[in-house]
Amino acid sequence: MSRINNLTWLKGNERFLQINSKLAMDVSLSEDESTFCLSVAILLIKEYEKDKRKTSYLEFGYYLILSYSLQSDNYEPLFDLSTNLGFYPISKYVLENGMIDEERLHHYFVNNGLSKFEYKKITETLEQRRFRNQLVESEERDNCYIAPTSFGKSSMMVELISELELDKIFIIVPTKSLLTQTYKLINSTFTNRKVIFHDEMYGGESNFIAIFTQERALRLLKSEENMKVDALLVDEAHNLFESSSRSILLSRLIRRIRARKQNSKIFYFSPLISDSDNLKFEEQQNIDTKRIQFNIKEADINEYRLDGRVYKYNRFLDVFFDVKSERDMLTYIDKNKRSNNFLYLRAPRKVEKFAGILAEKLPFTENKELEQLAITISKNVHEDFYCVELVKRGVLYIHGKLPDLIKEYLEFNFRKIGVLNFIVANSVILEGVNLPIDNLYILNTYSLGAKELTNLIGRVNRLNEVFSGENPSLTKLKPSVHFVNSEEFNRTSSNMAPKIGTLKSGKFSDEVKNPTLLNFDISRYDHIIENSSSPEAVNSAMTGKSNALSIIERENFLTKSPLTKVDRMKAQFFESGLHSAYYDSESTFDAVLDRVEIMQTDPDSDKLDPIEKVYLIFISGLENEIKDLSFARLQNEKARNYYRSFVKNIHASTLKEHINSTVKYFYTNASETGNNIFYIGSSYGELAKDGSVSGTKTYIDLSTKSHKELVNLALVKIKMESDFISYKLNEFVSLLKDCGVVSEPDYDIFIYGTAKKRNTDLTKLGLSGAIIKKFESDGQIKNIEIDDLGHISVNDEFKHYLEMQDDLVQFEVKKYITI
């Protein structure tokens, strides 16, 4: 915390410290204490008004008045503060709910004035309204909107698209879940425009809106070399700062769009950017930034410690108040539960384990909705899927190792079913998934810094739930957050207090790890190399610098238009990310190019399927050059046969059929090889490759697993292999199609499971191969129409048919088709 915003000196006043202790413990203040509390709050706010840099003075003053009003049921101070500072949603709520004397003339005029701040059925804050208008009217090429979670980002995007009146607009979202969510919003709003969310849905239109991940956007720009994008809207733009491959792809996309059209408009949206200049990729950029400085939510932070003591944390004073004691962790969680509880853990295996432990602790009461959900999951996933029994007790879990459809279906039911009270999840919930969470338990803080914690806490009590949800309440302006220590789910001698302390300033710095951004500091590696006495640190820095320089060189090459046939092929090779599979991508590319040219002229190559062509061109004879172990598995004929079968299952089998065939494969593999040690990846690994408990644990012993455990491991295995095919193998096949080595029909069959255009069109819209196969066998394909703008419509026969299907089938269809 900067000196100008440091308020910890206030805890030296014993009287003030005692008042804050009472507020933390929800103990009523005396009349004198109330007067003192409000007086300090007013002084703090006046200090802020003299010097707007003193944001923590305003935040602390607001916290004191909010806490006092909620505790005393006297909302006059909160109403006055909110009205004077432009926190109009609070003012409106207080008036509409009769929480103050409505007869006062002042209140009458305020109520009339608030109507000016209504926008699409919500009341905006003064900052929201001002910045929304300024952003829409901005003439700058680069713009950034930084606002806490739930401050109207989606509606801002809609208004921008409406007002810009540009032909080609890209919206970039970080996850497939957000892709579907954003597509539904945009498609329902802009019914007179073509809206697409898959690169292969593009049909040569000159006017369209695309909702893409960065991968899909780049694929479209690669196939349409002359396409110029008029506007790019980047959601969760703070992801650009990371060094991950997806962050590099995102920056590549932004640079390419600007390179093709210098006056293209770029809008960055994020709750987590400290300095928008860190988004720059070239010196001449000027990023016009609109920042919502003040978050009207102030978290109520609790810590349950190993000794059973519970503390309340005041971030302004940086003090933990000892408030009570609980018998054990589960008792504490149960006693403090609310309607919609989110329990955060990092590792998928621990997510599953804790969900089971929690469900056992909760009392069981029969409920028809939960019973029906359990039946649907059992029928469509598997009767041994852990969630079947968990949901009966009001608990479910999600993590990134679950198939996307099942994860989204479980999230949908958490929103829909009121008695489904607990969701245990990891970071998959952080990328914009909107769930009705009113209580947060953090059981693991590994890799969570101030920025990540702020994002996580921001998911609790979104503003629409505070002011207009099913149970609106101003108490939700103090989201309930619990840090729960345990040695089993966090670490030995678990102590989360230092992590909680990172929240004291409410501020954080950007860490620019992406080498393609202007403010990336490559000299930090030189500093370590020159000054460190640790050989390991020096080697790591040398490797980091080498990798960063390679990324910069490659991205500069890819930003230019390739001039020769070889450059074009090389660009495609790097564009697809295939270089990352090899130690020396330059020399490997030369070998790959020779093989492609040979196969282009080989008449017998038509007899080979895509997987065999991938093997012959990218693997055979290059085994020692491959560093990607998951890709290297294809050197084995048995592995290639496995993936041939797997690809067919993806397109033709239901998930339950696929699980059963995978469990059968587990048993068969063990009996045929006599080896029960099986690769499962780091998230679920328990053993090293040789079966020992030391070393990198990426294997399991199948003989130690029950049938139920194997079913749930099969679900994980299917997700892992689906991701491998989607993000790696498909890229190799796509490159070979671009080179003319894989034919269009073979490509469609491999990617979509069919060469029928009607079916591939539906697959590109997001429907699974299994459900399309079901529609085809039930004679329903003819009842689905896609118009020239890409909008899907169905006739009455299909609507009646869908009503007869179970809930999961209806959910999948209604994700993309409005019935």
Side-chain angles (χ1 to χ4, degrees):
M1 184 182 287
S2 65
R3 291 182 64 187
I4 199 169
N5 273 301
N6 192 338
L7 291 168
T8 56
W9 53 273
L10 282 169
K11 64 187 174 186
N13 184 299
E14 281 296 328
R15 186 182 184 194
F16 186 60
L17 188 66
Q18 182 64 26
I19 287 170
N20 276 276
S21 175
K22 284 189 171 184
L23 289 176
M25 291 185 280
D26 200 25
V27 175
S28 296
L29 303 181
S30 68
E31 187 173 341
D32 285 348
E33 287 172 330
S34 297
T35 301
F36 187 79
C37 176
L38 295 175
S39 298
V40 173
I42 291 168
L43 288 172
L44 290 170
I45 293 164
K46 284 183 175 180
E47 280 297 308
Y48 165 76
E49 289 174 337
K50 291 178 190 175
D51 184 350
K52 292 296 194 291
R53 294 175 300 167
K54 295 182 175 180
T55 53
S56 66
Y57 284 65
L58 172 61
E59 291 169 353
F60 196 8
Y62 170 76
Y63 162 79
L64 292 171
I65 290 175
L66 175 64
S67 299
Y68 163 79
S69 293
L70 292 175
Q71 187 189 79
S72 66
D73 208 27
N74 175 10
Y75 290 93
E76 199 75 51
L78 181 62
F79 175 78
D80 289 342
L81 174 69
S82 301
T83 303
N84 289 328
L85 294 180
F87 307 155
Y88 298 136
I90 299 176
S91 306
K92 184 77 171 174
Y93 185 91
V94 169
L95 284 172
E96 286 185 341
N97 289 275
M99 300 166 79
I100 56 174
D101 180 8
E102 297 181 55
E103 300 302 317
R104 286 176 54 184
L105 190 61
H106 169 64
H107 296 167
Y108 172 79
F109 285 117
V110 168
N111 199 19
N112 282 345
L114 289 175
S115 61
K116 297 176 184 177
F117 290 86
E118 287 187 12
Y119 175 73
K120 294 188 176 179
K121 299 182 180 180
I122 67 166
T123 299
E124 296 179 304
T125 68
L126 179 62
E127 280 188 317
Q128 267 183 296
R129 183 173 181 83
R130 180 194 304 143
F131 291 150
R132 178 172 56 79
N133 291 333
Q134 289 178 1
L135 193 64
V136 169
E137 294 167 4
S138 173
E139 295 184 359
E140 293 290 339
R141 294 188 307 163
D142 297 280
N143 296 270
C144 184
Y145 180 61
I146 304 169
T149 301
S150 77
F151 264 74
K153 178 183 60 181
S154 297
S155 60
M156 180 83 78
M157 287 185 176
V158 169
E159 184 166 3
L160 274 172
I161 294 170
S162 300
E163 296 296 326
L164 289 172
E165 296 184 347
L166 297 173
D167 289 342
K168 297 182 181 68
I169 297 174
F170 280 18
I171 302 172
I172 304 302
V173 296
T175 65
K176 287 183 179 179
S177 294
L178 265 178
L179 195 86
T180 307
Q181 183 178 302
T182 309
Y183 167 74
K184 290 189 77 170
L185 170 66
I186 300 300
N187 196 44
S188 62
T189 305
F190 299 96
T191 55
N192 61 337
R193 296 189 67 174
K194 178 74 176 281
V195 181
I196 64 176
F197 64 89
H198 195 292
D199 52 293
E200 295 192 20
M201 290 171 69
Y202 175 68
E205 297 83 6
S206 60
N207 186 307
F208 66 93
I209 304 168
I211 300 96
F212 283 157
T213 58
Q214 50 266 49
E215 290 87 353
R216 293 183 180 185
L218 283 166
R219 282 203 297 266
L220 181 57
L221 293 184
K222 182 179 74 171
S223 63
E224 301 293 329
E225 294 181 354
N226 296 319
M227 179 179 286
K228 296 180 179 180
V229 178
D230 299 304
L232 175 69
L233 284 64
V234 182
D235 194 10
E236 306 288 344
H238 53 272
N239 289 331
L240 262 173
F241 298 150
E242 299 303 317
S243 60
S244 69
S245 59
R246 300 199 74 223
S247 299
I248 304 300
L249 290 179
L250 182 54
S251 59
R252 182 190 304 170
L253 172 67
I254 294 168
R255 294 171 74 196
R256 181 163 299 169
I257 285 174
R258 180 55 56 79
R260 290 191 184 184
K261 186 173 182 178
Q262 284 297 306
N263 66 342
S264 60
K265 294 182 77 72
I266 299 175
F267 297 89
Y268 301 94
F269 297 86
S270 172
L272 298 172
I273 291 175
S274 177
D275 183 355
S276 60
D277 278 352
N278 288 324
L279 294 165
K280 289 183 178 180
F281 56 88
E282 54 188 10
E283 193 70 54
Q284 63 268 33
Q285 278 181 282
N286 176 45
I287 301 179
D288 188 13
T289 303
K290 313 299 179 192
R291 181 189 300 274
I292 301 288
Q293 291 281 4
F294 190 80
N295 187 354
I296 59 176
K297 295 190 299 182
E298 183 61 51
D300 176 33
I301 298 174
N302 306 267
E303 184 189 17
Y304 172 85
R305 297 185 179 173
L306 291 179
D307 62 1
R309 297 302 304 172
V310 179
Y311 294 80
K312 292 264 190 182
Y313 179 66
N314 183 307
R315 72 178 181 89
F316 304 102
L317 302 176
D318 193 25
V319 168
F320 287 87
F321 294 110
D322 188 344
V323 294
K324 60 182 175 180
S325 179
E326 287 293 356
R327 189 178 67 210
D328 56 55
M329 172 181 68
L330 290 173
T331 300
Y332 174 76
I333 290 171
D334 187 36
K335 279 189 177 181
N336 290 278
K337 67 178 181 290
R338 297 193 179 183
S339 298
N340 302 108
N341 305 278
F342 166 33
L343 300 101
Y344 173 85
L345 277 162
R346 181 171 177 267
R349 188 167 47 169
K350 289 191 175 182
V351 167
E352 295 176 7
K353 183 176 182 179
F354 185 80
I357 292 171
L358 176 65
E360 283 294 320
K361 171 73 177 178
L362 299 173
F364 175 70
T365 305
E366 286 192 13
N367 180 278
K368 288 184 179 180
E369 273 190 295
L370 296 181
E371 187 64 37
Q372 185 55 53
L373 176 59
I375 292 169
T376 301
I377 296 171
S378 176
K379 176 186 172 185
N380 289 279
V381 183
H382 201 282
E383 56 272 14
D384 284 327
F385 177 33
Y386 293 141
C387 274
V388 172
E389 293 304 317
L390 296 181
V391 297
K392 293 177 183 177
R393 291 179 175 267
V395 178
L396 61 82
Y397 68 81
I398 59 171
H399 53 64
K401 301 300 181 184
L402 289 179
D404 292 333
L405 177 63
I406 300 308
K407 180 173 71 68
E408 291 168 14
Y409 180 65
L410 293 174
E411 291 168 353
F412 166 74
N413 278 283
F414 185 72
R415 284 192 292 268
K416 185 179 73 169
I417 301 176
V419 289
L420 197 50
N421 298 135
F422 293 91
I423 183 167
V424 187
N426 62 2
S427 58
V428 297
I429 212 165
L430 294 181
E431 295 286 12
V433 177
N434 298 331
L435 297 176
I437 298 163
D438 60 9
N439 198 23
L440 169 64
Y441 297 95
I442 299 173
L443 285 84
N444 183 285
T445 55
Y446 182 83
S447 79
L448 292 178
K451 182 178 288 191
E452 291 77 19
L453 285 171
T454 300
N455 192 18
L456 188 59
I457 291 169
R459 301 292 156 189
V460 188
N461 293 346
R462 299 177 69 87
L463 291 185
N464 62 314
E465 290 150 19
V466 175
F467 298 112
S468 59
E470 287 189 11
N471 299 293
S473 171
L474 290 186
T475 60
K476 292 184 176 183
L477 290 172
K478 293 184 71 175
S480 177
V481 178
H482 307 267
F483 289 81
V484 182
N485 287 284
S486 72
E487 294 192 317
E488 182 175 5
F489 293 101
N490 193 38
R491 61 182 61 183
T492 303
S493 303
S494 176
N495 176 18
M496 296 186 182
K499 280 291 177 78
I500 297 171
T502 65
L503 297 170
K504 63 186 175 186
S505 70
K507 306 291 186 294
F508 38 75
S509 300
D510 302 324
E511 187 176 358
V512 181
K513 303 176 185 177
N514 185 337
T516 67
L517 297 178
L518 195 64
N519 286 347
F520 175 76
D521 182 16
I522 201 166
S523 66
R524 62 184 177 181
Y525 295 118
D526 294 326
H527 179 77
I528 296 171
I529 293 167
E530 293 168 6
N531 298 292
S532 178
S533 59
S534 165
E536 293 82 4
V538 171
N539 288 335
S540 176
M542 291 176 68
T543 301
K545 182 176 181 180
S546 176
N547 289 341
L549 291 171
S550 296
I551 290 170
I552 293 169
E553 181 182 1
R554 182 177 71 244
E555 293 305 311
N556 287 339
F557 168 73
L558 289 172
T559 302
K560 304 170 187 174
S561 297
L563 301 176
T564 66
K565 178 182 176 182
V566 172
D567 279 350
R568 184 182 297 272
M569 174 68 180
K570 189 174 184 178
Q572 290 176 323
F573 183 69
F574 286 119
E575 187 85 50
S576 303
L578 308 186
H579 63 280
S580 61
Y582 303 95
Y583 291 108
D584 186 348
S585 57
E586 290 288 342
S587 62
T588 303
F589 168 72
D590 293 334
V592 167
L593 182 60
D594 290 341
R595 295 174 181 200
V596 167
E597 291 175 345
I598 292 170
M599 194 165 285
Q600 283 173 334
T601 58
D602 183 359
D604 292 331
S605 67
D606 291 343
K607 300 173 185 176
L608 303 174
D609 72 350
I611 288 182
E612 199 63 22
K613 289 177 179 178
V614 168
Y615 164 68
L616 292 172
I617 291 175
F618 296 104
I619 298 175
S620 180
L622 299 172
E623 290 86 354
N624 293 332
E625 302 297 322
I626 300 173
K627 65 179 180 181
D628 185 332
L629 298 180
S630 63
F631 180 59
R633 286 180 294 166
L634 292 176
Q635 67 185 284
N636 301 311
E637 185 177 0
K638 184 177 178 181
R640 297 198 295 278
N641 288 334
Y642 168 79
Y643 282 109
R644 288 186 180 97
S645 174
F646 192 93
V647 168
K648 289 178 181 176
N649 278 332
I650 287 177
H651 299 313
S653 300
T654 65
L655 179 58
K656 190 169 189 175
E657 291 168 344
H658 204 170
I659 289 171
N660 284 330
S661 68
T662 303
V663 173
K664 183 179 178 181
Y665 174 77
F666 287 158
Y667 287 124
T668 303
N669 183 70
S671 62
E672 288 181 353
T673 64
N675 183 10
N676 287 303
I677 305 302
F678 189 84
Y679 177 83
I680 196 68
S682 57
S683 294
Y684 285 80
E686 299 169 353
L687 306 167
K689 189 174 184 178
D690 61 2
S692 68
V693 294
S694 59
T696 305
K697 298 177 181 179
T698 54
Y699 288 77
I700 54 172
D701 184 348
L702 295 175
S703 67
T704 65
K705 304 301 176 186
S706 67
H707 182 79
K708 186 166 188 171
E709 288 175 310
L710 290 178
V711 166
N712 286 275
L713 287 168
L715 194 62
V716 169
K717 182 71 171 172
I718 288 168
K719 171 61 174 173
M720 286 173 52
E721 300 295 14
S722 297
D723 285 349
F724 169 75
I725 290 168
S726 296
Y727 300 118
K728 290 186 181 176
L729 187 53
N730 283 357
E731 292 296 339
F732 285 92
V733 174
S734 180
L735 178 60
L736 294 184
K737 187 202 79 166
D738 293 341
C739 299
V741 171
V742 171
S743 69
E744 192 81 34
D746 283 352
Y747 173 81
D748 285 343
I749 290 170
F750 186 83
I751 300 293
Y752 303 116
T754 178
K756 295 180 183 177
K757 186 178 185 307
R758 180 75 170 154
N759 291 19
T760 59
D761 285 345
L762 291 174
T763 305
K764 291 170 188 176
L765 288 170
L767 295 172
S768 66
I771 203 166
I772 293 170
K773 180 184 175 184
K774 174 177 172 58
F775 290 164
E776 192 169 37
S777 65
D778 292 347
Q780 292 298 323
I781 296 288
K782 67 180 188 298
N783 296 322
I784 306 172
E785 293 294 332
I786 306 172
D787 66 20
D788 292 339
L789 295 178
H791 299 133
I792 312 170
S793 60
V794 297
N795 60 21
D796 290 339
E797 182 182 338
F798 184 88
K799 291 177 183 177
H800 177 71
Y801 164 81
L802 190 62
E803 288 175 0
M804 301 298 105
Q805 308 306 309
D806 72 23
D807 191 51
L808 182 56
V809 173
Q810 291 189 37
F811 169 76
E812 182 176 357
V813 172
K814 289 177 181 178
K815 278 174 63 182
Y816 307 104
I817 302 175
T818 302
I819 303 296

